[in-house]
């Protein structure tokens, strides 16, 4: 398979699956302002996913559209990291994921906007501003929850701990990113990511998670048990009417 | 200069706007609080039947539009609660009244969204009916409410078009898609007609609200306007309004139609609709699950304020 296609798919799948989870908060958030904010963030993620999947389809050259890629691939063909597919859990857990993921995306897009591929550079240039807001939103909440009440502190710590073992996968390098010139080698982003995330966690009075075990497999299409249900829900209407337009 | 209630009456008679600091009769204030709060509650409860389809929207473009639409409704809720707060109430108290069932929301949201076509039908019929109800409210005598409605109506008109467009695509699609559209119209037609409230003869709040310039047209007038607007659109879609008695008066251009069964409306208002309990339970759960988050935010703000004071001292 074409390296650029696979690389673009990885970024697009991350954004799509993140959007699907974020959207689950709409009409269920702790307050109305948060329904609006998380709606915004989900829309940003979905917008990034759409542009990336359109581009992936174009690069592949087999005539697949964003919807073909989103709705008519099976579990093992999705290349998103497992972090994005994990269930939302409570609000603190979702916020922990957003902090980890958006901080990674921010560093990634900052690098990618200077790459030689015009489309990827363009997507990154637009998205970097969006994810800067996501990082800020997550940061504000980690601080409030970490240094709020006893209960919120306990929940924030648990959220950070639960999501932590899924973060190393974001930074795993492989032969593809080494071969593909326009790709950002994610391993080069790790130290700065850890510095930024640790700073927020420290300020929040939570402790940096210590788990050394790290999950992996998403980039090879090996996912968690949760993922099949997410996809079933996302895809079922489209798959029930193959060939239909919506 | 007229003082107090004389000034209020003069403003109403001159079709001017009453503003938050102006004197107003207690009944006027109470009526508006009730109406604006119920309107706000309708926006946020209305997020549920549509939010129900975000995860399953059949294309990414539709998913994005639907997310934006439900987000708009949260925004409408926010500024309607803000408009109510200008009358001296708190959003938190109004939410408590919703959660305890003491204040209502539009009964239309107690019907379930069963297929993707229902998302089209809600946009086309429910938002269409909302526009007919709400456009006159842009001229409501209470300034903050009227101004909020100007913005709400602009967004609702976009929502209505996207609903029509969903159905238009379905009606020009496969047989199964067209059947889905017809089924949605069959189920949403009568509840949509009931959105205008009971017939004029039995409407309890109408007369005083008309005198105060809160309400501009009667329920039956608005219902007629909605039918006249909607039936030709159904013809364009190529689906049939489920009313055997529907005829067009060539002379007046108005449709005559069968009255909906208002006993159903009264039942749903009482709590006996298909989703009353589900909608309220979902709202209460989101609120209760979020309590620790709101408490944390308040505690954090207090700590920060104390720190700022400490460092200033």
């Amino acid at each position: 398979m074409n390296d650029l296609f696979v690389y673009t798919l990885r970024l697009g799948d991350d954004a799509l699956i993140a959007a699907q989870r974020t959207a689950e908060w709409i009409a269920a958030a702790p307050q109305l302002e948060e329904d609006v904010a998380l709606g915004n963030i989900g829309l940003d993620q979905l917008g990034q996913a759409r542009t990336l999947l359109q581009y992936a389809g174009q690069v592949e050259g087999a005539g697949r559209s964003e919807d073909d890629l989103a709705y008519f691939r099976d579990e093992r063909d999705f290349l998103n990291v497992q972090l994005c597919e994990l269930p939302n859990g409570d609000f603190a857990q979702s916020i922990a994921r957003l902090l980890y993921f958006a901080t990674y995306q921010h560093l990634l897009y900052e690098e990618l906007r200077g790459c030689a591929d015009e489309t990827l550079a363009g997507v990154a240039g637009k998205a970097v501003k969006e994810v800067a807001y996501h990082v800020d939103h997550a940061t504000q909440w980690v601080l409030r929850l970490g240094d709020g009440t006893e209960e919120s502190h306990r929940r924030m710590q648990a959220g950070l701990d639960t999501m932590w073992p899924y973060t190393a996968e974001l930074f795993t390098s492989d032969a593809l990113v080494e071969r593909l010139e326009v790709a950002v080698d994610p391993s080069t982003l790790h130290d700065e990511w850890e510095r930024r995330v640790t700073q927020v966690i420290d300020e929040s009075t939570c402790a940096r998670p210590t788990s050394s075990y790290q999950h992996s497999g998403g980039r090879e299409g090996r996912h968690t048990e949760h993922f099949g249900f997410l996809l079933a829900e996302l895809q079922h209407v489209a798959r029930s009417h193959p060939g239909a337009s919506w | 200069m007229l003082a107090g209630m004389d000034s209020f009456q003069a403003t109403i008679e001159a079709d001017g706007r009453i503003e938050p600091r102006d004197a107003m009769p207690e009944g006027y204030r109470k009526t508006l609080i009730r109406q604006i709060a119920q309107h706000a509650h309708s926006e946020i409860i209305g997020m549920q039947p549509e939010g129900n389809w975000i995860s399953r929207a059949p294309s990414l473009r539709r998913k994005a539009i639907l997310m934006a639409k439900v987000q708009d409704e949260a925004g409408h809720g926010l500024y309607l609660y803000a408009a109510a707060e200008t009358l001296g109430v708190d959003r938190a108290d109004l939410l408590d009244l919703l959660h305890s069932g003491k204040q209502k929301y539009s009964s239309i949201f107690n019907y379930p969204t069963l297929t993707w076509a229902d998302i089209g039908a809600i946009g086309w019929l429910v938002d269409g009916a909302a526009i007919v109800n709400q456009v006159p409210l842009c001229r409501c005598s209470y300034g903050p409410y009227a101004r909020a409605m100007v913005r709400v109506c602009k967004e609702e008109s976009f929502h209505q078009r996207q609903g029509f467009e969903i159905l238009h695509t379905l009606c020009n699609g496969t047989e199964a898609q067209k059947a889905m559209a017809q089924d949605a119209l069959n189920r949403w037609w009568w509840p949509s007609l009931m959105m205008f409230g009971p017939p004029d003869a039995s409407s309890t709040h109408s007369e005083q609200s008309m005198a105060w310039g809160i309400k501009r047209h009667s329920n039956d007038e608005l219902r007629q306007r909605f039918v006249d607007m909607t039936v030709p659109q159904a013809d364009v879609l190529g689906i049939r309004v489920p009313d055997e008695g529907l005829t067009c008066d060539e002379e007046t251009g108005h449709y005559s139609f069968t009255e909906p069964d208002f006993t159903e409306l009264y039942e749903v208002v009482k709590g006996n609709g298909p989703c009353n309990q589900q909608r309220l339970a979902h709202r209460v759960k989101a609120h209760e699950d979020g309590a620790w988050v709101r408490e944390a935010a308040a505690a954090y703000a207090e700590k920060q304020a104390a720190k700022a004071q400490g460092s200033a001292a």
Side-chain angles (χ1 to χ4, degrees), chain A residues 5-235:
Chain A
F5 168 67
V6 173
Y7 183 68
T8 309
L9 213 48
R10 288 178 181 180
L11 305 188
D13 285 350
D14 280 354
L16 174 66
I17 303 306
Q20 183 79 0
R21 286 297 188 208
T22 306
E24 289 175 17
W25 276 107
I26 301 175
Q31 57 192 24
L32 214 38
E33 286 81 354
E34 202 54 25
D35 285 298
V36 176
L38 291 172
N40 255 328
I41 291 170
L43 275 168
D44 287 342
Q45 292 167 333
L46 183 56
Q48 292 161 23
R50 291 185 61 195
T51 323
L52 287 163
L53 293 180
Q54 274 163 25
Y55 185 51
Q58 201 181 315
V59 167
E60 185 193 32
R64 284 203 279 184
S65 66
E66 59 177 70
D67 287 336
D68 292 330
L69 288 170
Y71 290 91
F72 292 92
R73 276 184 300 151
D74 291 332
E75 254 185 278
R76 298 283 279 109
D77 302 321
F78 274 79
L79 303 180
N80 54 283
V81 290
Q82 294 179 358
L83 177 70
C84 294
E85 75 204 37
L86 293 175
N88 284 340
D90 69 4
F91 186 69
Q93 195 169 313
S94 288
I95 287 296
R97 168 174 37 210
L98 185 62
L99 177 74
Y100 295 156
F101 182 61
T103 304
Y104 152 80
Q105 275 194 313
H106 191 246
L107 291 165
L108 169 78
Y109 287 140
E110 266 181 339
E111 285 294 312
L112 200 62
R113 66 184 165 173
C115 83
D117 184 296
E118 246 176 63
T119 309
L120 287 183
V123 174
K126 178 168 182 283
V128 76
K129 293 176 212 144
E130 296 168 350
V131 295
Y133 164 73
H134 306 176
V135 171
D136 182 60
H137 190 73
T139 299
Q140 296 308 317
W141 273 118
V142 172
L143 298 182
R144 285 186 203 114
L145 299 179
D147 196 16
T149 63
E150 223 168 278
E151 181 183 11
S152 72
H153 179 84
R154 178 179 56 74
R155 285 178 184 260
M156 193 63 246
Q157 186 66 59
L160 292 164
D161 291 345
T162 305
M163 292 294 179
W164 185 262
Y166 294 86
T167 53
E169 195 181 7
L170 292 166
F171 305 101
T172 309
S173 189
D174 65 359
L176 185 143
V177 291
E178 281 164 21
R179 273 196 312 271
L180 182 66
E181 206 175 318
V182 297
V184 174
D185 179 347
S187 65
T188 62
L189 308 174
H190 180 264
D191 291 354
E192 179 58 16
W193 176 86
E194 191 166 69
R195 194 189 66 74
R196 292 188 188 186
V197 163
T198 304
Q199 197 183 347
V200 176
I201 296 175
D202 285 349
E203 198 187 329
S204 79
T205 75
C206 287
R208 231 223 34 205
T210 48
S211 151
S212 57
Y213 177 72
Q214 288 283 341
H215 298 266
S216 66
R219 295 287 187 230
E220 289 85 47
R222 277 182 290 110
H223 294 279
T224 63
E225 286 186 347
H226 309 292
F227 190 55
F229 292 92
L230 179 152
L231 269 196
E233 202 172 324
L234 187 149
Q235 296 180 332

Side-chain angles (χ1 to χ4, degrees), chain A residues 20 30 33 36 71 233 246, chain B residues 55 57 62-63 71 91 294:
Chain A
Q20 183 79 0
E33 286 81 354
V36 176
Y71 290 91
E233 202 172 324
W246 302 95
Chain B
S55 66
R62 293 292 181 199
K63 190 192 286 288
Q71 194 202 22
R91 192 212 306 182
R294 296 189 302 275

Side-chain angles (χ1 to χ4, degrees), chain B residues 81-129:
Chain B
Y81 284 120
E85 285 183 334
T86 64
L87 291 158
V89 287
D90 277 340
R91 192 212 306 182
D93 296 333
L94 296 177
L95 284 174
D96 286 344
L97 290 170
L98 168 67
H99 297 157
S100 62
K102 290 188 183 121
Q103 281 184 344
K104 306 284 183 198
Y105 53 88
S106 175
S107 287
I108 192 75
F109 300 121
N110 289 318
Y111 292 87
T113 48
L114 302 179
T115 72
W116 170 251
D118 289 22
I119 297 306
I122 287 193
W124 175 43
L125 298 173
V126 175
D127 293 329

